[in-house]
Amino acid sequence: MVVFFILLILFLLLFVRKDNATYTILVLLTFFTFFMQFLVGRTFEYKSYKTIFNTCFICLNIGLIIKPWSYANILIVENINVNFFAYFKKILYRFLFLNLFLNLLILILVLIYLPDIAAFKAESAYLNLYDQIPYFANVFRYAYTTQNAGYLAIPIFYYHLGNLEKKEAFYAFLFSSSSLLSGFAFYSRAQIFTYTLIFIIYFFLIKKTLPNFIQFKVLKFIRYSSVCIVVLFLSITYIRFSAMDYYGDRIPENSIVKDPIVYSLFDYASQSYSNGLYQLERFTPDKSLGGEQFFRDIYQILNFFKLVNWDVKESQELIDKAYDYDGGAFNGYTAPLVFNFGYILTFLISFSYFLATKIKLKNRAVIPLKSMFFLILLLFIPTVSIFYTGYAILLFPLILLGLCRFTFSIKSLFR
């Protein structure tokens, strides 16, 4: 796997440009994530030609979701449909205002009732609040399902900033932070990390569209705010794993990192490749999930309105059984796709992603603002690929964006 991965990195490095920091960050993120595992003693078991095939398949899919960002060279973001932008922003802000309120409420309740992060994450103690607090279950599920809608406000923030509309930019940033707040409300380090990284990578994607003095101010803001977020991130890590005395026993003897807290960070960031390969080695057709992991949020919504008969416990049991009860670990980008859709559809999904991103970026110095909403969602996929497949958690933002475009078209017809 090391040999094939080095070949992948060398191939991706061929397209690195000094003026395309977005692509460079994605390549480096993939590089460091892979090699961190050797600091925590992760090993591979090479068994057969299937191992070689799976290794190549993982590298191929990772390459397909990173390579199209090498075409990025955005100089101007233009708002060619002012009416739709105003309509979409109005609808989006209403959702995000509600999300801010609910995530803050959940955070307060969790801090009061479940200050033990380890119990919240490892023991799913938050389920006890379903019975203790009226309607908490519905609020928690809604907030969890819609937590990524805040990413759609990031392009709005940078657009207003580029036009020196500071008040509008502030509101957009405030509403986008609902996704960051959800990370703290759910004790989700992955969500905190992802929001911070997406915010930074997107800045480099559209950096050339901003005046020079705005670029300087944003970089300064990113620098200071990142320090604060890192401190909070490390605090959550310390509180959680310092309470887990047994965690130190998990550290392999050949691990270079011996401190349990530091080990948890490196282990956290380096699981995907080895876990993904390990799961693909054990994959058989009878473990196919038929998209169960990817459509859970949709099933949950339809079940709430009594449109389908679906049980969350049965769904989780099906998923756990497929992964041999190790589905809670980070399995990377490729393995979950294979478990849900098989090898052929996985390749077609990744190749479709490659084409869609390439079409939106290649030879396009001027990009419509409406395309940026799709681009930030597309950017989500390679960013979170070091943990998992991001398509499922983008369903609500995509549905919201699609519904807004549909209702706006209907509304325009009757004017």
Side-chain angles (χ1 to χ4, degrees), residues 130-151:
Y130 287 10
D131 298 322
Q132 297 178 42
I133 303 174
Y135 304 108
F136 181 81
N138 291 337
V139 170
F140 190 91
R141 287 167 182 157
Y142 170 82
Y144 191 84
T145 302
T146 62
Q147 63 180 311
N148 295 300
Y151 289 100

Side-chain angles (χ1 to χ4, degrees), residues 57-257:
F57 194 69
I58 289 173
C59 291
L60 173 63
N61 282 273
I62 294 297
L64 285 172
I65 62 174
I66 293 179
K67 174 60 178 68
W69 294 97
S70 66
Y71 299 109
N73 186 33
I74 302 174
L75 302 179
I76 298 174
V77 175
E78 59 177 358
N79 187 5
I80 58 178
N81 195 334
V82 178
N83 291 333
F84 171 74
F85 176 61
Y87 176 79
F88 174 65
K89 188 166 73 168
K90 182 179 179 181
I91 300 297
L92 178 65
Y93 280 11
R94 288 176 177 175
F95 271 101
L96 298 184
F97 177 81
L98 178 61
N99 282 11
L100 269 174
F101 173 76
L102 293 180
N103 285 325
L104 182 60
L105 177 64
I106 291 172
L107 177 60
I108 293 171
L109 291 174
V110 167
L111 288 174
I112 292 173
Y113 290 94
L114 295 171
D116 185 354
I117 298 176
F120 182 96
K121 299 294 288 187
E123 302 171 22
S124 298
Y126 63 88
L127 294 174
N128 297 329
L129 298 183
Y130 287 10
D131 298 322
Q132 297 178 42
I133 303 174
Y135 304 108
F136 181 81
N138 291 337
V139 170
F140 190 91
R141 287 167 182 157
Y142 170 82
Y144 191 84
T145 302
T146 62
Q147 63 180 311
N148 295 300
Y151 289 100
L152 291 172
I154 293 178
I156 300 176
F157 164 73
Y158 281 111
Y159 173 75
H160 284 307
L161 204 61
N163 291 330
L164 305 181
E165 298 166 343
K166 296 182 180 179
K167 184 178 180 181
E168 292 294 331
F170 171 76
Y171 286 131
F173 173 73
L174 179 64
F175 288 125
S176 78
S177 66
S178 63
S179 292
L180 176 63
L181 185 60
S182 70
F184 291 104
F186 302 131
Y187 289 146
S188 173
R189 295 182 298 167
Q191 178 73 330
I192 296 169
F193 176 84
T194 301
Y195 176 88
T196 304
L197 204 55
I198 289 287
F199 189 88
I200 294 171
I201 295 176
Y202 185 86
F203 162 71
F204 287 108
L205 181 66
I206 53 84
K207 179 181 176 182
K208 297 174 187 176
T209 70
L210 303 174
N212 289 333
F213 75 97
I214 292 292
Q215 293 181 28
F216 175 79
K217 288 185 176 181
V218 172
L219 280 172
K220 186 177 180 180
F221 169 75
I222 287 174
R223 191 178 300 116
Y224 288 115
S225 59
S226 294
V227 171
C228 295
I229 291 173
V230 167
V231 170
L232 291 170
F233 181 94
L234 293 176
S235 298
I236 291 177
T237 301
Y238 178 80
I239 294 171
R240 177 182 177 184
F241 289 97
S242 62
M244 299 167 64
D245 297 332
Y246 60 86
Y247 193 79
D249 297 332
R250 297 182 179 181
I251 301 177
E253 291 184 4
N254 59 336
S255 173
I256 297 174
V257 179

